[in-house]
């Protein structure tokens, strides 16, 4: 009796959309999105490049699917805690996930994302805010403002030219470029970083706290007056 040569009998997982996306995600995490190609992906999967198109329409479709996988990792805001706690958890989760997938922030910002994971994520976010008393327009402004902070801070963290433990040394290297007679306030700040009086580190929580406090003020101001 002839032995089976199917992929299952050889211990090789059958090709599927999910397997393609998972391996593509791993490659993008390791090498960046620009280095990802259908040819390299097919080699990693042990298949011919043309066989990928039975499961993904093209590279754009594949990237859309990869973004969906990333979004699915972000914690949804809970309705069982107060809205600020829920949105803080959402923000810190999103920031951590996007740091883990360093290519994903730009892909997320520059594409129309309408997959189930993204729609569930946005709907849960709006639900958290609306149930807390935000109007739909204010909820829309609120979550977009928070996402702008998340995306911007993440991109800065990923691309900033110095590591945290290099700030004081960098301040020392650049202090001559900010003479006190011309830039007195920037010079003083640089001196504080050099001496360790101030770390100079960018603080994700600082900006998030400002946003949440400001949004709470808007929520209260926009709330309908209580009935007598």
């Amino acid at each position: 009796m002839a032995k089976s040569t199917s992929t299952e009998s050889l211990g090789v997982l059958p090709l599927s959309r999910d397997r393609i996306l998972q391996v593509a995600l791993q490659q993008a995490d390791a090498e960046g999105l620009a280095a990802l190609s259908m040819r390299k992906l097919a080699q990693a999967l042990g298949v011919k490049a043309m066989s990928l198109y039975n499961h993904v329409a093209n590279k754009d479709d594949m990237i859309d699917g990869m973004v969906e996988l990333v979004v699915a990792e972000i914690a949804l805001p809970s309705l069982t805690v107060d809205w600020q706690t829920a949105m803080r958890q959402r923000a810190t989760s999103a920031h951590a996930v996007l740091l883990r997938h360093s290519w994903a922030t730009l892909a997320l910002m520059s594409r129309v994302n309408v997959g189930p994971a993204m729609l569930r994520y946005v709907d849960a976010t709006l639900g958290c805010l609306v149930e807390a008393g935000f109007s739909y327009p204010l909820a829309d402004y609120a979550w977009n403002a928070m996402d702008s902070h998340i995306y911007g801070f993440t991109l800065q963290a990923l691309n900033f030219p110095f590591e945290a433990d290099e700030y004081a040394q960098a301040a020392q290297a650049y202090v001559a470029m900010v003479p006190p007679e011309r830039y007195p306030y920037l010079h003083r700040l640089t001196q504080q970083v050099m001496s360790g009086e101030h770390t100079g580190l960018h603080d994700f929580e600082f900006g998030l706290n400002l946003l949440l406090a400001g949004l709470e003020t808007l929520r209260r101001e926009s709330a309908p007056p209580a009935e007598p």
Side-chain angles (χ1 to χ4, degrees):
M1 181 177 179
K3 293 183 178 180
S4 170
T5 57
S6 69
T7 56
E8 290 85 356
S9 66
L10 293 174
V12 178
L13 291 174
L15 195 62
S16 66
R17 180 178 175 85
D18 183 64
R19 184 175 171 227
I20 290 170
L21 295 179
Q22 292 288 351
V23 174
L25 184 68
Q26 294 169 9
Q27 290 198 344
D29 287 348
E31 303 177 21
L33 198 59
L36 183 65
S37 70
M38 302 300 272
R39 179 184 59 81
K40 290 175 64 176
L41 182 58
Q43 288 178 344
L45 288 161
V47 299
K48 299 289 186 181
M50 288 305 297
S51 64
L52 300 179
Y53 294 100
N54 294 321
H55 305 278
V56 293
N58 48 43
K59 187 175 180 180
D60 277 341
D61 179 41
M62 184 172 68
I63 295 172
D64 287 342
M66 293 161 62
V67 169
E68 272 281 284
L69 292 179
V70 171
V71 171
E73 294 181 25
I74 302 173
L76 298 179
S78 172
L79 294 178
T80 63
V81 296
D82 68 274
W83 78 269
Q84 291 194 54
T85 299
M87 297 307 291
R88 183 183 300 280
Q89 291 171 345
R90 172 190 182 274
T92 54
S93 174
H95 182 49
V97 168
L98 294 174
L99 286 177
R100 193 158 61 241
H101 303 289
S102 59
W103 58 271
T105 302
L106 284 176
L108 188 61
M109 295 168 59
S110 60
R111 310 179 75 81
V112 177
N113 305 296
V114 292
M118 174 59 77
L119 296 178
R120 183 168 58 251
Y121 177 58
V122 174
D123 187 71
T125 301
L126 286 172
C128 175
L129 295 169
V130 169
E131 292 299 325
F134 288 83
S135 67
Y136 276 93
L138 189 54
D140 189 35
Y141 287 131
W143 79 268
N144 278 288
M146 283 183 280
D147 279 7
S148 293
H149 175 63
I150 295 165
Y151 298 156
F153 199 97
T154 301
L155 288 174
Q156 184 181 56
L158 290 169
N159 294 284
F160 202 73
F162 307 117
E163 297 295 330
D165 58 0
E166 298 174 336
Y167 276 36
Q169 183 179 354
Q172 179 70 50
Y174 286 97
V175 68
M177 300 177 63
V178 285
E181 65 276 9
R182 182 174 297 180
Y183 310 109
Y185 302 105
L186 183 56
H187 180 85
R188 178 58 184 146
L189 178 62
T190 304
Q191 291 283 348
Q192 290 187 5
V193 174
M194 288 167 52
S195 68
E197 185 179 351
H198 172 54
T199 66
L201 298 178
H202 305 147
D203 188 344
F204 181 75
E205 290 287 334
F206 180 83
L208 183 59
N209 288 339
L210 290 178
L211 279 167
L212 292 173
L215 289 170
E216 173 61 13
T217 298
L218 288 175
R219 186 188 71 86
R220 290 178 178 176
E221 291 177 349
S222 64
E227 295 184 1

